[in-house]
Amino acid sequence: MSERQDLAKDIDQACRLIGEFELRSGQIAREYFDKYLFETQPALLHRVAQAMVPLLPEDADLLGGLELGGVPIVTVVSAITDRPALFVRKQAKTYGTCKLAEGGDVHGKTVVLIEDVITTGGAVRDAALALRGLGAAVEVAICAIDRSPIGVTPLADFGIELRSVLTRKDLDLAAAAER
Ligand SMILES: O=P(O)(O)OC[C@H]1O[C@H](OP(=O)(O)OP(=O)(O)O)[C@H](O)[C@@H]1O
Ligand SMILES: O=C(O)c1cc(=O)[nH]c(=O)[nH]1
């Protein structure tokens, strides 16, 4: 079994929930990957973060983790690679520094987005739009789980290349092998 297959098996076992779930996009799904069930396990979180390292573009100045699930992942990737992180809020704080992106100034910087799960890419679009509005370049997003339908490239029309540690197909194959 390859390292990827082994990770897919362990993530699938830890995270796949069956039921009826409303997704961020408003879609109703019969399956849900609860990322917090791997992010709260240090060894699994570390394996996912480690698998993201080779996917990082060399020219990225900042690693931007999306609130909330992207933040633990980006923290570990940043620690492994010694590259600075950014914690990207869904909305800017309304007091204190009033920042949307917590960390160093993003103006003129290239930010690679780090996300937990991608379904339609909506959360990444929102974050990319906001960061671009602050003067950052956003061209690549990396996610732990890409559950978008096969054949769909959810962010291509937005000028963002999506790189994933695991796809829906990896997880479905892992689940089938366990049956
Ligand atoms: O690709 P999309 O269709 O946008 O869906 C995926 C997004 O939905 C979830 O966000 P949610 O706001 O539920 O996450 P959180 O628990 O990380 O705050 C998930 O963490 C992604 O950010
Ligand atoms: O699309 C979502 O909101 C979503 C799907 C999923 O499988 N897991 C998750 O955390 N969010």
Side-chain angles (χ1 to χ4, degrees):
M1 187 182 285
S2 70
E3 212 169 303
R4 181 182 180 124
Q5 286 169 321
D6 196 41
L7 182 61
K9 173 175 71 68
D10 292 344
I11 292 287
D12 193 74
Q13 281 178 352
C15 300
R16 188 192 291 256
L17 305 179
I18 307 294
E20 187 176 293
F21 302 93
E22 181 175 354
L23 305 184
R24 179 188 176 278
S25 55
Q27 294 174 7
I28 304 295
R30 289 183 49 250
E31 287 172 319
Y32 189 81
F33 295 98
D34 182 350
K35 67 265 185 164
Y36 299 118
L37 295 177
F38 82 76
E39 295 185 350
T40 51
Q41 292 188 43
L44 266 181
L45 174 59
H46 196 273
R47 282 165 71 195
V48 169
Q50 190 68 58
M52 285 190 174
V53 173
L55 305 179
L56 291 171
E58 285 198 356
D59 66 345
D61 300 307
L62 296 166
L63 313 180
L66 271 55
E67 181 196 0
L68 174 66
V71 169
I73 302 176
V74 82
T75 303
V76 178
V77 177
S78 168
I80 292 172
T81 59
D82 201 23
R83 293 166 80 168
L86 197 65
F87 303 146
V88 185
R89 295 178 180 277
K90 291 176 175 149
Q91 269 132 27
K93 274 178 85 154
T94 55
Y95 54 93
T97 56
C98 297
K99 284 171 84 169
L100 175 99
E102 301 287 0
D105 188 9
V106 302
H107 192 269
K109 300 283 170 61
T110 299
V111 179
V112 57
L113 295 180
I114 305 289
E115 178 59 306
D116 44 28
V117 178
I118 297 266
T119 304
T120 65
V124 167
R125 279 167 201 263
D126 289 352
L129 202 59
L131 291 169
R132 286 171 178 171
L134 294 171
V138 182
E139 289 156 7
V140 175
I142 300 175
C143 68
I145 298 173
D146 174 6
R147 61 165 291 171
S148 64
I150 290 164
V152 173
T153 45
L155 295 160
D157 64 326
F158 213 63
I160 295 179
E161 180 194 339
L162 177 59
R163 303 177 184 177
S164 57
V165 172
L166 297 170
T167 62
R168 179 60 192 249
K169 189 174 168 196
D170 292 317
L171 296 169
D172 286 351
L173 286 172
E178 288 303 295
R179 278 190 217 115

